[in-house]
Amino acid sequence: MRGFGGLRRAIPSTRPQYAISFAHRASRRITGSPVRFVQNSVAGGKDQNKNEDLCSSVTAVMAKLPHPAVVITTLDRTYRAQAAARVPIEKMQHPIACGVTVSSLTSLCIRPNPHVMFNMTLPSTMYEALVSCGDFNVHVLTPDVHGARVARVFTRGNRLLSAGLANNSDADLGVLAGLREEGLHQVEIANRDAWHEQYHEAKEGGLRSLGLEMADSVDIPSTVPESELSETPGQTHEVPCLHFRGILEVLHCRLARTVHPDLPGAGDNMIVIGEVVGVTMPKECDERPDEVPVALGYADRRYRGTGGAIDPSADH
């Protein structure tokens, strides 16, 4: 599972040091049992093992916290990305779908404009595709076996096409081809034709803007014709959007910013921030307005549903 722990892994605690001793005393006063604390130390030499103990302890703690399990989809090799990279038109390739399951999604803000964020570990072909595309969809999953099976497909990495698959009619599906292998034949890729039409129209528009027909070593301008603009408000590209009983809602986002924590010991992690420009809800939500399911979660290395709501004012 990529992105486990979200910003909790990237940003250290700002809690003052005295909070540790206070928590220690409080815990002993309540439970009467000793508490084991693992503190950080400078890595290297004899302290290396201590630092590893701390990392293992934090991992164990974070595993106990439920996180949302969502699927992010985007497109690699869009016309805009290939044009910006100055790819000759005869060497341009059709877009290919990319996707990943993350457990670090959270809302950054709701007003005035809603934004969400999650983190990714580099190197990542998904990250490269998302940045070059600039648009992505967030699929919120149902807390059942259907949602869990969708999530599992996108934990397997994005596929590199072999020579044998390059001409396959499903080559553009990329990681989405795993949905069929998982037996999820009822998953509908709602806009598969749309992203191909968008690519072809943009490519033809690029040729017309040059006043040329197909030719060798023709550089395409980095500007994108109006024909490539998506009908989805706020999004430039038609990025993969899935419909299935295992999907609750889809957040349509455009990339706002990527941030590197730039902290010692934070590793190669990037924070991805996206502005939500639209939401797709299945028809089932309109048919069952009183049912508000809680989305699929991930904790202790397993997908999780939820029990009933807890009323803190209830009697013990």
Side-chain angles (χ1 to χ4, degrees):
M1 176 73 67
R2 300 186 183 182
F4 180 75
L7 293 179
R8 301 171 183 82
R9 175 179 287 181
I11 301 178
S13 172
T14 57
R15 178 181 296 180
Q17 293 298 318
Y18 61 77
I20 295 180
S21 59
F22 175 81
H24 187 193
R25 292 197 301 271
S27 179
R28 289 180 62 90
R29 185 166 59 249
I30 294 172
T31 65
S33 60
V35 180
R36 182 177 67 91
F37 288 94
V38 181
Q39 293 181 312
N40 197 3
S41 57
V42 179
K46 297 180 180 179
D47 293 329
Q48 184 65 43
N49 291 335
K50 293 182 179 179
N51 189 66
E52 184 58 34
D53 288 344
L54 176 63
C55 293
S56 298
S57 297
V58 173
T59 299
V61 171
M62 298 307 297
K64 295 179 175 66
L65 297 178
H67 296 79
V70 301
V71 168
I72 312 288
T73 57
T74 190
L75 275 183
D76 193 12
R77 302 191 315 214
T78 63
Y79 173 85
R80 167 176 284 189
Q82 295 184 82
R86 313 300 294 179
V87 176
I89 196 167
E90 77 280 0
K91 294 184 178 180
M92 284 189 175
Q93 297 176 294
H94 287 278
I96 183 171
C98 293
V100 66
T101 299
V102 302
S103 59
S104 55
L105 182 78
T106 188
S107 60
L108 176 62
C109 64
I110 300 299
R111 295 178 178 83
N113 298 320
H115 287 72
V116 295
M117 62 183 181
F118 57 94
N119 71 307
M120 301 186 72
T121 301
L122 304 183
S124 167
T125 55
M126 174 67 186
Y127 175 81
E128 294 174 0
L130 192 155
V131 170
S132 65
C133 177
D135 296 305
F136 62 93
N137 287 331
V138 180
H139 298 77
V140 181
L141 307 176
T142 58
D144 54 28
V145 66
H146 305 292
R149 291 178 69 189
V150 172
R152 184 169 62 181
V153 169
F154 293 89
T155 62
R156 299 168 182 169
N158 290 282
R159 304 170 179 215
L160 295 176
L161 295 182
S162 63
L165 292 175
N167 297 321
N168 189 297
S169 60
D170 288 339
D172 64 304
L173 293 180
V175 67
L176 301 188
L179 293 169
R180 295 179 180 177
E181 297 174 4
E182 186 72 20
L184 301 173
H185 300 285
Q186 295 179 335
V187 177
E188 176 188 359
I189 305 171
N191 56 345
R192 183 182 180 185
D193 291 337
W195 80 60
H196 284 291
E197 292 174 3
Q198 190 177 59
Y199 167 78
H200 284 297
E201 290 177 5
K203 190 173 181 180
E204 292 174 1
L207 284 171
R208 287 195 300 270
S209 69
L210 294 174
L212 297 172
E213 296 180 356
M214 190 70 70
D216 293 337
S217 301
V218 175
D219 285 335
I220 301 300
S222 59
T223 56
V224 180
E226 293 181 0
S227 58
E228 191 184 357
L229 297 179
S230 169
E231 294 181 0
T232 304
Q235 284 189 317
T236 300
H237 302 94
E238 288 279 359
V239 292
C241 183
L242 308 179
H243 290 175
F244 180 57
R245 62 187 301 182
I247 297 171
L248 286 175
E249 291 99 11
V250 182
L251 304 178
H252 306 285
C253 307
R254 61 185 176 194
L255 182 64
R257 183 172 299 179
T258 61
V259 181
H260 189 280
D262 196 21
L263 297 170
D268 294 325
N269 295 289
M270 295 296 293
I271 302 168
V272 180
I273 303 175
E275 180 182 0
V276 182
V277 297
V279 180
T280 296
M281 297 185 181
K283 295 180 180 179
E284 289 78 3
C285 290
D286 297 331
E287 297 172 359
R288 301 192 304 268
D290 296 333
E291 297 182 20
V292 183
V294 177
L296 182 69
Y298 188 78
D300 194 23
R301 299 173 178 82
R302 292 179 175 85
Y303 298 110
R304 305 281 182 176
T306 58
I310 299 174
D311 183 3
S313 62
D315 293 336
H316 295 292

